[in-house]
Amino acid sequence: WRRALWRIEDLFLALCLVAMMLLGVADLEIWGRLGIRLPIVGTDELVRHFTLLVGMAGGAIAAREGRLLSVASITPLLPKRLATLLERYTHVFATFIALMLALAGALFVQTEKDAGVTLASGLPVVWFEYGLPVGFALIGLRLAYRAGRTHLRTAAVVLGVAAAGYFAAHTPIAATHSEWNVSRRPPT
């Protein structure tokens, strides 16, 4: 079943790239000179949103294949045990970042959905923006699997990351007590 999902991902990426190419060809000025009218409105906007899908699908595929940028360039210089430990901790940290971005993406999509934003072609923009939370979630889960290496450890990584995210979002520190609060700084 895993290979079938991978093929669906690959097919989705290929279809997005084909759509981008066809939209680019449909937007060429030569068609108007030949007297052919192609009724596609907002092709540049559609291409930008397909680019978002391509980027997220590409990131998910790179995570699947273990080809995301990492500290791998320095690991051959380290002792094997330290290199393995460093790789696992960077995967856990990257899992945290990716899953927090998935959550932020889901919140962003919800606000766009509530606002009813559409593209010039009339398509709801959220159709494309769903790629953000889905893509970051796939990246995060694949990084968690690389950090955990087994299903049980992967679940532990995901739960630990979720707990850290919850703690980060619900810290009892008031914004007025933060030294980064710009509005409370004395004038210089």
Side-chain angles (χ1 to χ4, degrees):
W1 65 271
R2 195 178 291 174
R3 293 221 184 266
L5 289 177
W6 293 354
R7 287 184 186 206
I8 291 170
E9 277 180 333
D10 294 342
L11 179 65
F12 177 75
L13 179 60
L15 289 175
C16 286
L17 289 169
V18 167
M20 288 174 64
M21 181 198 63
L22 291 176
L23 285 168
V25 169
D27 200 30
L28 291 176
E29 194 175 307
I30 189 75
W31 302 117
R33 291 182 183 170
L34 294 173
I36 300 171
R37 174 107 170 100
L38 296 174
I40 301 175
V41 179
T43 55
D44 57 335
E45 200 175 35
L46 284 168
V47 169
R48 280 197 306 267
H49 282 80
F50 272 112
T51 303
L52 170 71
L53 293 177
V54 166
M56 295 312 300
I61 291 170
R64 175 184 82 199
E65 296 177 357
R67 294 178 180 253
L68 292 174
L69 295 177
S70 66
V71 293
S73 58
I74 66 166
T75 52
L77 304 173
L78 300 173
K80 184 174 173 122
R81 188 172 168 94
L82 182 61
T84 303
L85 189 65
L86 178 65
E87 185 177 322
R88 282 202 180 168
Y89 280 113
T90 56
H91 282 127
V92 169
F93 184 71
T95 299
F96 175 77
I97 299 297
L99 292 180
M100 292 302 105
L101 287 171
L103 176 62
L107 294 173
F108 174 70
V109 168
Q110 186 61 46
T111 59
E112 293 281 304
K113 185 177 180 183
D114 291 344
V117 179
T118 59
L119 299 173
S121 60
L123 294 173
V125 73
V126 294
W127 288 4
F128 295 93
E129 291 173 348
Y130 279 125
L132 286 169
V134 170
F136 281 124
L138 280 172
I139 292 168
L141 292 174
R142 286 174 174 161
L143 287 167
Y145 187 75
R146 289 197 179 276
R149 304 213 199 272
T150 66
H151 293 300
L152 186 60
R153 287 182 185 166
T154 299
V157 168
V158 170
L159 289 174
V161 164
Y166 180 84
F167 178 73
H170 295 89
T171 55
I173 300 171
T176 57
H177 297 261
S178 173
E179 68 180 67
W180 297 295
N181 189 354
V182 177
S183 63
R184 301 273 310 186
R185 289 196 179 149
T188 55

